[in-house]
Amino acid sequence: MTRSRKQNGNGKGTVVFVGAGPGDPELLTGRATAAIAGADVVLVDADVSTAVVEAVREAHPDLELTTVSGEPAEVAKGAVAAAKNGNVVVRLVAGDPFTSDAVVKEALAVTRTSVAFDVVPGVAIGTAVPAYAGVPLGAGSIQADLRAVDASVDSAGQLAALAAAVTGTGSPLVLQANADQLAATAAALVEGGLSGNTAVVVTTEGTGTAQKSVAGKLGAVAEKSAGMDTLTGPVVVTVGAVVDKRAKLSWWESRPLFGWRVLVPRTKEQAGDMSDRLRAYGAVPVEVPTIAVEPPRSPAQMDRAVKGLVTGRYGWIVFTSTNAVRAVREKFTELGLDARAFAGVKVACVGQQTADAVREFGIVPELVPTGEQTSEGLLADFPPYDDVFDPIDRVLLPRADIATETLAAGLKERGWEIDDVTAYRTVRAAPPAAAVREAIKGGGFDAVCFTSSSTVRNLVGIAGKPHARTVVSVIGPATAASATEFGLRVDVQPEVAAVGPLVDALAEFAQARRAEAEGGEGQ
């Protein structure tokens, strides 16, 4: 099935105006996601958030995204030309398409041609950003888009009229502007009749993990004394008594890790779950690969081992990492095998994360440690060989080329014969960009999450030691030992050695630290 949805064989495509929402990729609607998946051409407005653009690129790496700007008629002309070649053209715009005068003008320009158009509404910036700032608009709010309005005499008149419309009604007013318009905007609202004591909150980078909201009074904003001088770029300004409810309803910026820059020293393929969980807590994950996973130099050993699974050579297979599971699955695919080859073979996993990877393969592991999720924990639960109950005495141990001998030696002590097979190689990744290295050493990261001893060794090797004020969180005892060996202070270690509990434990640590700081301020 091809991705293209070219139209009816008549050579004409269509233009689909798609709302990208306010900035958080998770706020893309289902219909927006489907429209993008069916596109041949995507024309993106410059004000669509970087996070949304990156999410689209990651989901559709073969889809070319082109940033467009200029007069609406010219942008529409380019979209129509592409559609007349039989393409489905998605015009990806910030917020909700028909709340933008420019996008409406584009749509009107398309109607003057023979090309059909469609509209996919998006989450509106004027309602979503106040909600993420903890401000309930309620009924009767007035929204105005000031992105195209300069702080001139005419715009001041428009603002004064808006202020007059809400004065005495108690209705909030939501404006979109640039940060450098704030003082002039506030002054015009006061001149239009709003009290200088009216509450206002200004939000930048709305709905993202870099969101920042600053509250104050309208008069102070007009006088440039509200502490908003550091805000830059597009902002959303919410004005009215409802802003006072923010102290109780702020749910996004009050998340435990909100605004924390967290270093994730893992490959992009491995970092996904951790980064997603960190974002859910409000953090900004920065992925820095420290190792690269490569196939073994010779495939012969793995070929023999996998064929041995089919022929009944092994009584057990022991997985010590998700990389080992992935390597075996890839070899199965290469050889035309599936999970049925594990029939009669017992499966052990060193921890829950590895066990989850095995379950995704359609297999339920017989053994996962009940205590520490380490090689030692697995050995504590692994049964000794019994020549009566165990018809086959051989264990397959597919693992990294640099793995320790602890597990293999322990299994041999329990009477098992071991086929210790190199399933994959781990090599040190290239150093990150200079700016990232400086941030690591200079305290530019609030926390780092280590998931193995190799991530500790390799990060220090390619980028240097994290700064002393960086919170160090580790997945388990072996990783903690490596961190300590390199002179790092271990702050966080979960009870269960898995990515989810690791991030949860970091969030609990951050929340406790915040509570302690607030308690100290209250004394």
Side-chain angles (χ1 to χ4, degrees):
M1 180 177 177
T2 59
R3 179 174 49 77
S4 174
R5 298 185 304 177
K6 294 190 176 183
Q7 306 292 300
N8 301 326
N10 60 7
K12 293 181 181 178
T14 186
V15 177
V16 187
F17 293 94
V18 175
D24 182 352
E26 293 188 3
L27 293 182
L28 279 169
T29 67
R31 193 172 164 216
T33 301
I36 293 167
D40 300 296
V41 177
V42 180
L43 304 178
V44 186
D45 261 2
D47 54 358
V48 172
S49 78
T50 302
V52 168
V53 172
E54 289 178 351
V56 172
R57 284 196 172 121
E58 185 172 344
H60 307 285
D62 60 330
L63 189 57
E64 184 175 349
L65 278 64
T66 303
T67 302
V68 295
S69 60
E71 292 298 317
E74 287 301 310
V75 176
K77 184 178 179 180
V80 166
K84 284 185 174 180
N85 287 329
N87 294 305
V88 174
V89 180
V90 161
R91 269 293 286 122
L92 193 62
V93 300
D96 186 31
F98 275 11
T99 63
S100 165
D101 288 341
V103 177
V104 172
K105 289 176 182 177
E106 281 186 44
L108 289 171
V110 174
T111 65
R112 294 191 285 271
T113 73
S114 59
V115 172
F117 77 96
D118 196 0
V119 178
V120 178
V123 177
I125 294 171
T127 54
V129 174
Y132 269 63
V135 179
L137 297 181
S141 59
I142 296 178
Q143 298 175 41
D145 186 349
L146 299 188
R147 284 177 296 176
V149 178
D150 295 325
S152 61
V153 174
D154 289 339
S155 64
Q158 294 173 30
L159 290 168
L162 287 170
V166 299
T167 298
T169 68
S171 297
L173 180 63
V174 181
L175 309 170
Q176 293 178 58
N178 285 313
D180 57 9
Q181 292 177 284
L182 282 174
T185 298
L189 293 174
V190 172
E191 191 169 329
L194 284 176
S195 168
N197 287 323
T198 304
V200 58
V201 62
V202 180
T203 303
T204 183
E205 300 285 345
T207 77
T209 50
Q211 175 178 307
K212 181 179 181 182
S213 297
V214 181
K217 299 296 183 181
L218 199 58
V221 177
E223 296 169 3
K224 298 185 178 181
S225 61
M228 299 182 182
D229 298 342
T230 59
L231 300 180
T232 59
V235 295
V236 173
V237 184
T238 309
V239 183
V242 291
V243 170
D244 293 333
K245 293 184 173 67
R246 182 172 178 270
K248 293 183 177 179
L249 295 178
S250 179
W251 59 277
W252 180 235
E253 292 178 48
S254 62
R255 293 194 172 195
L257 294 173
F258 188 84
W260 279 42
R261 292 188 75 216
V262 180
L263 182 63
V264 181
R266 310 191 82 192
T267 63
K268 193 167 188 65
E269 294 77 15
Q270 295 175 316
D273 290 344
M274 177 179 284
S275 294
D276 288 345
R277 203 174 190 96
L278 285 166
R279 289 189 191 96
Y281 280 115
V284 182
V286 179
E287 297 167 2
V288 176
T290 59
I291 61 171
V293 177
E294 297 182 357
R297 288 189 173 86
S298 170
Q301 193 181 32
M302 269 290 282
D303 287 346
R304 287 194 300 271
V306 171
K307 289 174 182 176
L309 285 171
V310 179
T311 59
R313 175 177 172 82
Y314 301 107
W316 283 86
I317 181 171
V318 177
F319 289 111
T320 58
S321 70
T322 56
N323 284 328
V325 179
R326 186 180 300 112
V328 170
R329 288 191 68 167
E330 289 173 355
K331 183 59 67 172
F332 268 44
T333 300
E334 181 185 324
L335 298 176
L337 301 172
D338 58 31
R340 289 174 293 183
F342 282 93
V345 180
K346 294 179 181 179
V347 178
C349 298
V350 76
Q352 286 296 339
Q353 191 174 354
T354 304
D356 289 341
V358 168
R359 291 186 186 100
E360 288 176 8
F361 200 0
I363 302 163
V364 178
E366 278 79 11
L367 178 60
V368 181
T370 55
E372 283 188 2
Q373 298 193 344
T374 61
S375 294
E376 290 80 359
L378 181 60
L379 284 171
D381 290 348
F382 206 93
Y385 172 67
D386 188 310
D387 57 6
V388 174
F389 295 104
D390 298 310
I392 303 171
D393 67 350
R394 191 166 294 274
V395 175
L396 174 59
L397 184 57
R399 55 184 187 156
D401 56 334
I402 59 171
T404 63
E405 300 300 320
T406 303
L407 184 56
L411 291 172
K412 288 177 182 176
E413 287 177 3
R414 283 159 176 74
W416 295 97
E417 294 293 325
I418 307 300
D419 278 1
D420 196 349
V421 175
T422 298
Y424 61 95
R425 293 185 299 125
T426 56
V427 297
R428 182 178 288 182
V436 175
R437 297 198 302 272
E438 288 304 314
I440 291 171
K441 292 182 287 189
F445 288 98
D446 297 285
V448 57
C449 291
F450 289 116
T451 55
S452 67
S453 295
S454 61
T455 59
V456 177
R457 289 192 300 270
N458 289 338
L459 180 71
V460 173
I462 66 176
K465 286 171 55 175
H467 193 276
R469 66 169 165 261
T470 300
V471 174
V472 176
S473 48
V474 299
I475 201 166
T479 308
S482 294
T484 302
E485 180 185 338
F486 280 94
L488 299 176
R489 178 197 67 250
V490 175
D491 301 295
V492 178
Q493 181 181 323
E495 292 183 6
V496 177
V499 165
L502 172 61
V503 177
D504 295 345
L506 178 61
E508 290 173 9
F509 175 89
Q511 200 156 23
R513 173 181 278 187
R514 178 182 297 175
E516 183 179 341
E518 291 173 352
E521 290 173 1
Q523 292 177 358

